[in-house]
DNA sequence: CACTACATGTAACTAGTTACATGATTCG
DNA sequence: CGAATCATGTAACTAGTTACATGTAGTG
């Protein structure tokens, strides 16, 4: 149930509506944890029932309201507990590895083309992760700014560097995969 | 539905029973695609109904039988089709990244300990992937040997190198993650 | 007034998890 | 004859996917 913990982590920065969270999980948070709208709304209601967050109805015009959720004391405790303990590694389940493992069964040029597309995706992912890392280091994202308003100014650099480091890691893994895929292309074309 | 393609890829090497596949997905294949017994048996039956594999009942004593599945012509075609086309990247969903992203919310020594455990896991994963890579290069695994009996001897080295390369990649990513986690530990302890 | 953004839902489905359940055969 | 291994299943559940559905408010 990491979606719940991901939501708690975001809402800790600032209270948000389901709509806000949907946007957020479609953009930057999507690099860490992807979640569709149809999963976010029900999860928020379940979390409210569980007492982890509480929803506050705000008027947005005469007929439209939005529910802004904030993390409760209990939610903060749960997040803290979950963050502090090591968890079992997630089982491997990467369709691309299944594909690459069987590249010996198809034509070399087709496998080469599949790798080419993979390289493009990974390079794009690396570039985007690096850009986000830089924005975080510059404290130049909306969410980080709001998060820091509730933190001791002496900690601001530290918080920014910790967040940025995660995106640096995502980029590093993507770069490693690019190198690996290029090596694979050389292997396919016969050294 | 990559479990189906993973199963096709394994059964292409040699026909196997559900039991054999369960063992296999608990060991080496588990690094690529994890699947529990309760998922494998029903999936095999669905694949047989779909005509991708066909089951052959073998007697194993007076009362016990086992069903040995082999890939059909149609299954091979499906596998080939799936292997030859690029697929959309899988949505990110890594609980550990959610955890690391929020390391600024907990005590540095607790975050350090969580990273320490992560490093241990990744180093173990890297070592095991490298060991398996070496076994594949030496054509020293049961499944590869059986797979190669149906291949042109001129292709044996190529097939072994392609399979091995996937495990080299898994190891490389794990090593990258280890370096990243160590950097994270330095970050937490204040450079 | 049309278009975009805001805002929230539901239904039907596939995939994956956890736990339980049952019996046969082989080997020491 | 007891333990490990062989062999196959089911039930109840949680998570995630795809597609549909509905209406409001702000902007040009």
């Amino acid at each position: 149930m990491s979606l719940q913990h991901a939501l708690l982590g975001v809402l800790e920065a600032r209270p948000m509506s389901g709509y806000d969270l949907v946007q957020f999980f479609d953009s930057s948070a999507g690099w860490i944890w992807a979640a569709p709208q149809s999963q976010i709304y029900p999860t928020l209601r379940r979390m409210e029932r569980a007492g982890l967050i509480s929803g506050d109805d705000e008027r947005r015009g005469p007929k439209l309201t939005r529910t802004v959720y904030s993390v409760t004391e209990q939610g903060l405790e749960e997040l803290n507990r979950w963050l502090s303990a090591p968890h079992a590694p997630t089982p491997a389940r990467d369709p691309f590895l299944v594909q690459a493992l069987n590249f010996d069964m198809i034509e070399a040029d087709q496998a080469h083309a599949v790798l080419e597309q993979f390289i493009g995706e990974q390079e794009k992912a690396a570039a985007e992760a690096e850009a986000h890392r830089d924005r975080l280091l510059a404290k130049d994202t909306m969410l980080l700014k709001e998060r820091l308003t509730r933190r001791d100014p002496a900690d601001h650099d530290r918080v920014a560097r910790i967040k940025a480091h995660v995106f640096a890691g995502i980029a590093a893994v993507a770069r490693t995969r690019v190198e690996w895929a290029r090596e694979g292309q050389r292997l396919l074309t016969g050294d």
Side-chain angles (χ1 to χ4, degrees), chain A:
Chain A
M1 291 214 131
S2 300
L3 173 56
Q4 300 202 7
H5 296 107
L7 289 167
L8 288 173
V10 174
L11 291 174
E12 192 266 349
R14 101 174 142 87
M16 283 191 196
S17 67
Y19 187 81
D20 294 335
L21 288 161
V22 169
Q23 311 307 114
F24 191 68
F25 276 77
D26 270 350
S27 62
S28 41
W31 297 107
I32 304 278
W33 194 277
Q37 183 251 35
S38 64
Q39 209 189 351
I40 290 176
Y41 281 104
T43 300
L44 287 170
R45 272 175 281 131
R46 264 190 299 120
M47 287 171 76
E48 188 176 23
R49 279 204 305 281
L52 299 172
I53 58 179
S54 78
D56 182 35
D57 284 9
E58 273 184 8
R59 296 228 135 269
R60 309 281 290 185
K63 289 188 180 175
L64 196 56
T65 59
R66 65 173 200 163
T67 307
V68 176
Y69 294 97
S70 46
V71 181
T72 62
E73 197 60 38
Q74 199 193 321
L76 259 188
E77 273 165 38
E78 166 55 26
L79 180 56
N80 216 277
R81 197 193 53 69
W82 185 79
L83 291 173
S84 303
H87 302 287
T90 47
R93 206 164 287 120
D94 185 342
F96 181 73
L97 291 182
V98 175
Q99 199 173 13
L101 193 66
N102 292 291
F103 274 166
D104 61 282
M105 296 188 202
I106 60 172
E107 296 299 322
D109 58 340
Q110 298 209 294
H112 193 280
V114 171
L115 284 171
E116 194 61 39
Q117 164 127 349
F118 178 76
I119 288 167
E121 283 160 9
Q122 294 294 311
E123 274 177 342
K124 185 160 169 280
E128 287 178 300
E130 279 156 9
H132 197 66
R133 174 204 58 191
D134 293 340
R135 280 195 296 276
L136 286 167
L137 281 177
K139 304 184 192 81
D140 199 24
T141 81
M142 273 300 117
L143 199 70
L144 180 60
K145 282 181 198 168
E146 297 185 86
R147 197 186 291 273
L148 292 178
T149 61
R150 296 155 184 220
R151 294 283 220 292
D152 181 345
D155 289 338
H156 287 194
D157 276 358
R158 175 190 149 81
V159 173
R161 269 194 253 117
I162 286 176
K163 305 280 186 205
H165 185 245
V166 172
F167 288 87
I170 290 170
V173 167
R175 300 274 178 218
T176 300
R177 286 206 245 252
V178 168
E179 276 321 296
W180 167 85
R182 287 200 208 286
E183 227 175 276
Q185 288 184 322
R186 284 192 289 274
L187 221 165
L188 286 165
T189 55
D191 283 336

